[in-house]
Amino acid sequence: MSQQSKQFNNASRRNFLAQLIAAPFALNFSQDVLALKNPQFSSIAQQPPITMANAPHSRAFPFATLNSWITPTKDFFVRSHFSIPKIAPARWKLEISGAVERPRTFTFEEILKLPAVEQVVTLECSGNLVGYGGVSNGRWTGVRLATLLEACGVRADAIEAVLIGADGGSEREANDIQVPAFARAIPLTKALDKNTLLAYKMNGEMLPEAHGAPVRALIPGFYAMDSVKWLRQIVVSREAYRGFYHTERYYEARRINEKIYRAPLHDMRIKSQIARPLSNEKLALQALQIVGAAWTTGDAEITRVALSLNRGKSWTDARLGDDRAPFAWRLWSVDWMPEQAGVYEIIARAFDSREREQPMERDSTLITPYAQNHVERRIIEVG
């Protein structure tokens, strides 16, 4: 990894940041900021499905089509940095090594014999901007990662688990540096958590290739880059991992008093998004329904979504959907009859059981285009 860091440091920092901002689910970052400076006159367009020259294997969920708690597999967002590995289940193996008493290799057949666990979990790309489609909700089946780690005997001084995928190669989004594999590290406490899975089914069917077949990690409550796809190796570590996707991507950086502070990025943040109506949509003067979804981290649940139709002067509670799970989004809706023709701004704001509130404005100290969770504002015209 040291050679990768050297290659990266030799590249233009400005060029890298420009590529980072242009990555799928982080498009038009500067437009996002400018729109929020004048929210009464601007709105952020609904993000269409994405495929890009530098990320051809990524696509967004068309959020405007949201109409069910579970996202259909064909619509589920995909975020991949490299081409899709094709791994036959019969040839798949998972090696667990590092700070363990008994390093082991598990086959797919052995995984299938372990007790199965099913969970409904929302995955969100950390680069998913407000109102965009880098988020979906699925039903996952797999085995607890803790079961495998306990079979290997994790040593007392271990601090994290490095999850390594089978995908790697030339990173098109970072000056074509060579990365041997996509890898992320999670705290050992999260790896041993009963909710952390190795998933082999998605929405009742065997995991599709684009979503990490035959086995992927599923880390509920963490941004989706931690749910490493095409999992092939887990290294239990006594020290902090310093790989490319920790040091040069998927971290948090803030500028405070002209100093830049970096921190790890894992936990999803409270957020609500509007599915319909669309930004800048022109509608008839008649009853309409405003719909969307809201989510938060796994240590809480969405308890309220409030909508304003007059730029925050007054608020109306949305009706929350009946479907719920600890790590899944809540659908919400509001039936609204406009009093008169005109231009309206819709704001949707989420609240959770730990008394967290979705921020009204973008965090001005945050300089990385990740974990954006300020309220969405949409302008519509009725008449």
Side-chain angles (χ1 to χ4, degrees):
M1 303 302 284
S2 59
Q3 179 63 26
Q4 295 165 15
S5 298
K6 182 178 179 180
Q7 289 173 309
F8 174 79
N9 289 333
N10 289 337
S12 163
R13 175 70 61 171
R14 179 178 299 176
N15 187 43
F16 172 75
L17 183 58
Q19 291 190 18
L20 181 63
I21 289 171
F25 317 131
L27 289 170
N28 299 324
F29 182 70
S30 58
Q31 177 187 350
D32 188 18
V33 176
L34 291 172
L36 286 176
K37 288 181 179 179
N38 298 287
Q40 66 271 37
F41 302 115
S42 304
S43 61
I44 303 166
Q46 178 77 14
Q47 179 62 37
I50 299 169
T51 54
M52 295 178 61
N54 68 340
H57 304 288
S58 297
R59 68 172 185 268
F61 164 50
F63 202 76
T65 67
L66 177 73
N67 61 9
S68 63
W69 189 50
I70 300 296
T71 307
T73 301
K74 65 180 179 61
D75 295 330
F76 207 101
F77 89 93
V78 176
R79 179 69 173 109
S80 299
H81 290 265
F82 308 100
S83 59
I84 299 172
K86 297 183 181 297
I87 307 168
R91 300 183 62 183
W92 178 85
K93 293 181 180 180
L94 176 66
E95 176 188 335
I96 299 181
S97 60
V100 295
E101 300 291 344
R102 300 173 295 278
R104 284 190 58 177
T105 298
F106 294 86
T107 65
F108 189 63
E109 183 179 4
E110 289 174 316
I111 294 293
L112 293 180
K113 290 179 180 179
L114 295 172
V117 178
E118 183 180 275
Q119 290 200 87
V120 176
V121 175
T122 294
L123 292 181
E124 182 183 19
C125 177
S126 63
N128 183 44
L129 296 183
V130 172
Y132 286 35
V135 60
S136 301
N137 191 49
R139 191 181 303 276
W140 311 88
T141 304
V143 301
R144 290 190 171 98
L145 175 54
T147 301
L148 278 64
L149 293 177
E150 289 165 0
C152 294
V154 176
R155 293 180 177 173
D157 56 351
I159 62 169
E160 63 183 25
V162 182
L163 311 177
I164 304 171
D167 55 329
S170 177
E171 173 53 279
R172 302 186 190 189
E173 299 170 36
N175 298 319
D176 291 320
I177 71 166
Q178 292 297 311
V179 182
F182 185 92
R184 285 283 295 178
I186 60 172
L188 187 61
T189 52
K190 189 68 172 180
L192 293 172
D193 187 278
K194 66 178 183 179
N195 297 300
T196 297
L197 303 182
L198 301 186
Y200 52 79
K201 281 188 176 182
M202 176 184 183
N203 294 342
E205 303 291 339
M206 299 306 289
L207 201 63
E209 287 182 345
H211 293 284
V215 176
R216 69 174 296 166
L218 185 71
I219 319 297
F222 277 16
Y223 281 112
M225 72 278 184
D226 286 331
S227 293
V228 174
K229 294 178 287 188
W230 310 292
L231 193 65
R232 65 176 176 84
Q233 185 178 6
I234 298 175
V235 178
V236 180
S237 178
R238 298 183 178 90
E239 56 187 36
Y241 178 61
R242 300 291 298 169
F244 176 79
Y245 290 103
H246 267 263
T247 60
E248 309 301 348
R249 288 288 181 92
Y250 303 129
Y251 63 90
E252 182 176 277
R254 295 178 181 276
R255 180 181 287 112
I256 302 173
N257 296 327
E258 300 307 315
K259 292 184 178 180
I260 295 178
Y261 299 88
R262 291 174 55 133
L265 181 62
H266 293 293
D267 290 292
M268 292 168 61
R269 294 173 185 168
I270 186 170
K271 191 172 185 179
S272 178
Q273 288 193 177
I274 303 165
R276 297 179 300 278
L278 302 179
S279 292
N280 303 314
E281 190 169 4
K282 295 183 179 180
L283 303 165
L285 181 58
Q286 61 186 24
L288 63 92
Q289 189 176 63
I290 304 169
V291 299
W295 55 93
T296 187
T297 61
D299 63 350
E301 65 174 344
I302 294 295
T303 55
R304 179 185 174 216
V305 174
L307 260 70
S308 174
L309 296 152
N310 54 11
R311 301 191 176 116
K313 295 176 183 177
S314 62
W315 296 86
T316 299
D317 283 354
R319 180 175 58 254
L320 297 180
D322 293 332
D323 293 314
R324 60 201 296 182
F327 299 98
W329 64 25
R330 295 286 299 272
L331 301 185
W332 56 261
S333 63
V334 168
D335 296 320
W336 177 51
M337 179 65 211
E339 295 181 357
Q340 60 187 21
V343 175
Y344 292 85
E345 181 189 61
I346 305 173
I347 305 174
R349 192 181 192 194
F351 302 79
D352 72 16
S353 56
R354 293 183 68 91
E355 300 184 348
R356 284 179 291 224
E357 303 176 359
Q358 188 176 6
M360 288 292 291
E361 304 293 340
R362 183 183 176 274
D363 187 342
S364 61
T365 69
L366 193 60
I367 61 174
T368 41
Y370 303 125
Q372 300 294 325
N373 73 323
H374 49 277
V375 298
E376 181 176 7
R377 300 169 184 264
R378 289 197 177 180
I379 302 296
I380 62 170
E381 184 177 345
V382 175

